Amino acid sequence: MNKIMVTGGAGYIGSHVAAALLRAGYEVLVVDNFVNSHREAISRIGSAAGKQPLLAEANCASTEQMRSVFEAHPDVIGIIHLAALKSVSESVLFPMRYHCNNVIATQVLLGEAAAQGIPLVFSSSCLVYGSPAQLPVSERTELSKAASPYAASKRLSELLIEQCVNDCASMSAITLRYFNPIGAHPSGLLGEQPNKPENLLPLMIDVAIGRKDALTIYGNNYPTRDGTAIRDYFHVMDLADTHVAALKRMLNKHNHSRHEVFNLGSGNGVSVLEMVHAFEQATGQSISKRIGDRRPGDIAAIWADTHLAQTELGWQPSRTLADAISSAWAFSQNTNKQ
Ligand code: NAD
């Protein structure tokens, strides 16, 4: 009886989480509708972890489909809910699509989790802080206006979790607010493979392998040290391990309240230009750049205060920025070879 449901488990972060759970001895049930991933991810997780996950192909936002999944797997003891659409720019164009997919999926899962008292770990984002007035941001930082429908979908999901936990005494949840996870699994089998890259590292890789002629830097007139946007990058392997820790915390009843919230980041802000330099150093590739307009929904700077996660979850990222970049580069070389 140690089956964990990982929604969005075929995606970038979910595949690393699934592999970490399998390595930690859990049975894993991936629930995914492959809206932004490939079925092949399931066998890759198996090869990376040395043990195959189970798969239920379903839309998490469908009450009917999820009810069938829970009926077929009455032995699920924990849920890690990563399934979501995550493109900020697409969410600005199609806000209802983001609301319906992300918020409704959380609502449907909460209904099942609360009915059965199954603890849930939720993938949130630092974007819930909006454009913060003070840096770094801690979990006590006031949430300012969501800068995009994607960010709003995470805030609404968090709110639903809070209300569900308040209403239902058997329910517990941990919300993890990720900053900017990057990098890939050391096996070279799992990594970020977006159909339409929007994040900086996949965009740089596209330039380095010749798929794009230059990296567009979206804005060089932000009020930051070099005018480019600042983010807090950290290794996806550290993130994956911490999902296992968060889940165990609730299963072992070590949580201090029934809904805990933790920031996960490196605690350091790195600008776009600094990342380009770090990429060039780590890979030996040179990146052509051009300056473009700011993207709607983007903010100038954000990085995390991670003291709470350090104290409570043992958050101690052990991989460096260079490790993360090198692993992502190795993954791209591996996948482009095939
Ligand atoms: P991803 O797109 O690679 O993975 C998401 C997975 O969820 C995909 O496999 C997709 O097919 C699946 N999915 C989406 N909607 C679904 C639905 N309704 N039913 C079933 N499956 C569905 O994204 P990711 O980068 O791995 O992100 C995972 C989670 O982490 C998301 O919730 C995202 O919002 C959050 N997050 C990501 C980042 C980041 O930088 N990657 C940062 C902060 C938060």
Side-chain angles (χ1 to χ4, degrees):
M1 274 281 283
N2 66 353
K3 190 185 285 180
I4 308 301
M5 176 184 287
V6 181
T7 75
Y12 168 45
I13 300 169
S15 58
H16 290 79
V17 169
L21 286 163
L22 288 164
R23 293 299 292 251
Y26 290 97
E27 193 177 358
V28 170
L29 171 66
V30 168
V31 180
D32 207 299
N33 63 356
F34 304 109
V35 65
N36 196 36
S37 53
H38 305 282
R39 193 175 291 276
E40 190 202 344
I42 305 301
S43 55
R44 284 171 168 257
I45 295 167
S47 305
K51 197 175 151 201
Q52 201 58 29
L54 302 169
L55 169 67
E57 186 168 346
N59 178 357
C60 296
S62 158
T63 309
E64 266 178 27
Q65 290 182 30
M66 287 314 292
R67 187 145 302 152
S68 309
V69 174
F70 278 96
E71 276 167 11
H73 299 275
D75 51 346
V76 166
I77 58 162
I79 301 169
I80 300 191
H81 175 37
L82 300 112
L85 298 173
K86 63 162 183 181
S87 159
V88 169
S89 60
E90 189 185 64
S91 80
V92 173
L93 294 175
F94 306 107
M96 271 314 279
R97 187 181 294 172
Y98 273 67
H99 182 87
C100 291
N101 193 74
N102 296 1
V103 183
I104 305 297
T106 305
Q107 184 182 334
V108 168
L109 276 158
L110 283 171
E112 295 290 339
Q116 302 181 43
I118 305 173
L120 179 137
V121 178
F122 175 62
S123 296
S124 191
S125 162
C126 64
L127 295 182
V128 297
Y129 295 111
S131 190
Q134 273 200 328
L135 291 163
V137 287
S138 84
E139 295 79 355
R140 291 175 308 282
T141 300
E142 203 179 323
L143 307 185
S144 55
K145 188 176 178 295
S148 67
Y150 166 68
S153 79
K154 291 292 175 187
R155 279 189 66 170
L156 270 170
S157 293
E158 287 195 15
L159 197 64
L160 281 176
I161 293 172
E162 187 67 24
Q163 286 170 346
C164 177
V165 162
N166 286 340
D167 283 1
C168 174
S170 63
M171 182 65 198
S172 57
I174 289 182
T175 289
L176 301 176
R177 291 180 180 155
Y178 315 158
F179 282 63
N180 297 85
I182 56 168
H185 196 273
S187 63
L189 293 167
L190 310 175
E192 193 171 8
Q193 234 180 338
N195 296 332
K196 241 179 88 190
E198 282 199 2
N199 292 342
L200 180 55
L201 185 52
L203 286 168
M204 285 194 287
I205 288 173
D206 268 6
V207 176
I209 63 176
R211 202 178 278 153
K212 275 205 160 66
D213 62 340
L215 172 76
T216 303
I217 295 179
Y218 297 108
N220 68 345
N221 55 359
Y222 282 111
T224 59
R225 51 184 171 265
D226 61 21
T228 65
I230 291 182
R231 298 289 180 269
D232 179 338
Y233 299 95
F234 65 105
H235 205 302
V236 70
M237 291 294 291
D238 286 317
L239 180 64
D241 291 343
T242 299
H243 284 75
V244 182
L247 189 72
K248 279 187 176 161
R249 181 176 171 87
M250 289 186 286
L251 293 173
N252 296 332
K253 310 236 179 292
H254 291 159
N255 43 331
H256 295 326
S257 68
R258 287 193 294 106
H259 183 203
E260 296 182 307
V261 179
F262 298 105
N263 283 345
L264 296 179
S266 70
N268 299 311
V270 176
S271 75
V272 175
L273 289 175
E274 289 162 353
M275 266 299 271
V276 172
H277 181 65
F279 183 86
E280 292 179 332
Q281 294 277 103
T283 63
Q285 304 292 313
S286 95
I287 297 292
S288 314
K289 322 180 259 301
R290 70 166 83 87
I291 304 300
D293 292 338
R294 294 180 182 190
R295 287 188 299 195
D298 270 354
I299 59 167
I302 190 160
W303 65 93
D305 175 336
T306 59
H307 283 94
L308 192 63
Q310 286 170 33
T311 316
E312 297 298 330
L313 289 179
W315 173 246
Q316 203 60 64
S318 60
R319 288 106 173 158
T320 64
L321 185 64
D323 294 338
I325 294 171
S326 305
S327 66
W329 178 240
F331 172 71
S332 79
Q333 299 296 97
N334 197 25
T335 38
N336 287 316
K337 239 185 344 212
Q338 290 163 13

